[in-house]
Amino acid sequence: MVLVTGGCGYVGSHTVVELLQEGESVLVVDDLSNASKKSLERVRQITGKEVCFEQVDLKDAKALGKVFDKYCGKKAGDKIDTVIHFAAFKAVGESVKKPLEYYQNNTIGVINLLFCMQKHAIKNFVFSSSATVYGVPERCPIEETAGRSALSPYGATKIITEDILLDIAKADKDFSAILLRYFNPVGAHKSGLIGENPKGIPNNLMPYITGAAIGKLPPLKVFGGDYPTMDGTCVRDYIHIVDLAKGHIAALKKVRQQKGAVAYNLGTGKGLTVLQIIQAFEKSTGVSLPYTIVERREGDATECYASTTKAEQELAWKASLGVEDMCKDHYDWQVKNPNGYND
Ligand code: UFG
């Protein structure tokens, strides 16, 4: 059995679909602070399969311990053998305003989780890290060996968690961890049943675009038109959420085979500007998207895209969906669920 923390969230729910389709049994642990349990009903609709669910905040060590006792006492085939850890606060700007909450939630949660794993001798861990650990990249494409630096408390919590896992792997030769550094996840499942469900006004580009496209948000502001790029706007490596979820299946296979802690980029390796995303969105949906170019947003790197060689060679995984699928699928989800799961 695979324990998925944060399995009701955006990346979590798409990964749960892929896990179930691979025949894995899944236990989701989520505190529902930033996600809806309705996502799991939708997962059931897509896959026709059930998941176990426990509503627990990872900061509550006692409650978490009870979950492990319950699921590790079961018959062998249903015991937890691997943990995929998504549950964390994830808004960069909010983390700057509320650093303590971010350090508390994102580090105490994972430490409690790792203590439970230690108690029950569970050795396999897949961690939802981020390309944010690269700070302002020195060069692109970014290789996994590039230096790490934090530009926000959020980024710092990702680096701290990576370091905790690297140190456990040094101390325990049977421990296996994979650190997945996501670039910019966008899109939604083809069914339109699960997708990103941001609270309030989205900070990220694609949910803002789809919200503006259905008239729920004012026109898009493009942050900065004077960057040294082909059209003056920032370059990012957008990756379809279903490709990203499949990257976790590749990581699951690998983490069960190897020992030690290893980092992999999950991106497409292709950089696109904000204006290229707008064009692709208009082309794939037929919806015109008014925008204005405004001042740069503080803290934005000019360009950020992945080297995908290591993941291709060692995980045998490569993203396959293009930018038009990313835009179209995100838009379809938004049209079908204008208020996310809350309607
Ligand atoms: N952008 C706009 N207008 C908007 C929102 C975004 O022009 O309303 C631009 C940004 O300036 C940037 C690009 O769109 O150039 C992408 O911005 P996002 O906020 O969607 O994504 P970021 O690359 O800033 O951040 C993402 C994740 C973070 C992660 C980071 C580094 O959201 O969690 O990548 O990998 F830390």
Side-chain angles (χ1 to χ4, degrees), residues 14 18 186 188-190 240-247 317 321:
H14 286 83
E18 299 302 320
V186 295
H189 192 264
K190 289 274 173 213
H240 196 292
I241 189 73
V242 172
D243 275 332
L244 191 82
K246 288 185 173 154
W317 168 89
L321 295 165

Side-chain angles (χ1 to χ4, degrees), residues 36 38 42 197 333-343:
S36 168
K38 281 191 193 158
R42 305 283 182 88
N197 186 27
W333 149 257
Q334 177 84 80
V335 169
K336 288 180 183 157
N337 307 271
N339 299 310
Y341 295 110
N342 303 326
D343 43 2

Side-chain angles (χ1 to χ4, degrees), residues 61-253:
K62 215 170 149 191
L64 187 63
K66 281 189 186 155
V67 170
F68 273 79
D69 290 344
K70 181 172 164 189
Y71 289 89
C72 294
K74 284 195 159 186
K75 63 179 192 304
D78 259 355
K79 272 187 195 160
I80 301 164
D81 79 294
T82 303
V83 173
I84 305 183
H85 176 51
F86 296 107
F89 292 163
K90 61 173 184 182
V92 178
E94 185 185 59
S95 80
V96 176
K97 292 192 188 106
K98 297 180 174 177
L100 260 184
E101 280 85 347
Y102 270 69
Y103 283 108
Q104 181 191 43
N105 190 65
N106 292 5
T107 63
I108 293 178
V110 73
I111 288 170
N112 287 340
L113 189 60
L114 288 159
F115 267 120
C116 288
M117 290 176 64
Q118 190 180 67
K119 180 180 168 199
H120 292 278
I122 300 164
K123 300 292 183 182
N124 304 324
F125 195 87
V126 177
F127 174 52
S128 169
S129 189
S130 166
T132 199
V133 300
Y134 296 119
V136 175
E138 274 171 26
R139 70 184 73 85
C140 286
I142 308 172
E143 290 175 2
E144 287 84 348
T145 48
R148 298 175 310 165
S149 71
L151 301 177
S152 68
Y154 163 75
T157 67
K158 291 294 178 192
I159 292 178
I160 290 168
T161 306
E162 287 197 352
D163 285 342
I164 292 171
L165 296 169
L166 290 160
D167 284 340
I168 297 175
K170 273 188 214 149
D172 176 358
K173 297 296 170 213
D174 291 326
F175 188 72
S176 173
I178 288 192
L179 326 176
L180 296 176
R181 295 175 179 160
Y182 310 154
F183 282 70
N184 290 57
V186 295
H189 192 264
K190 289 274 173 213
S191 61
L193 286 169
I194 55 172
E196 192 172 10
N197 186 27
K199 268 191 186 160
I201 296 171
N203 297 308
N204 295 118
L205 180 64
M206 191 62 84
Y208 197 97
I209 286 179
T210 59
I214 64 163
K216 211 178 122 176
L217 298 171
L220 174 71
K221 289 182 182 146
V222 174
F223 298 135
D226 58 350
Y227 286 96
T229 61
M230 59 179 286
D231 59 24
T233 64
C234 291
V235 169
R236 293 288 180 277
D237 184 340
Y238 298 91
I239 173 166
H240 196 292
I241 189 73
V242 172
D243 275 332
L244 191 82
K246 288 185 173 154
H248 292 73
I249 304 302
L252 178 67
K253 289 179 184 152

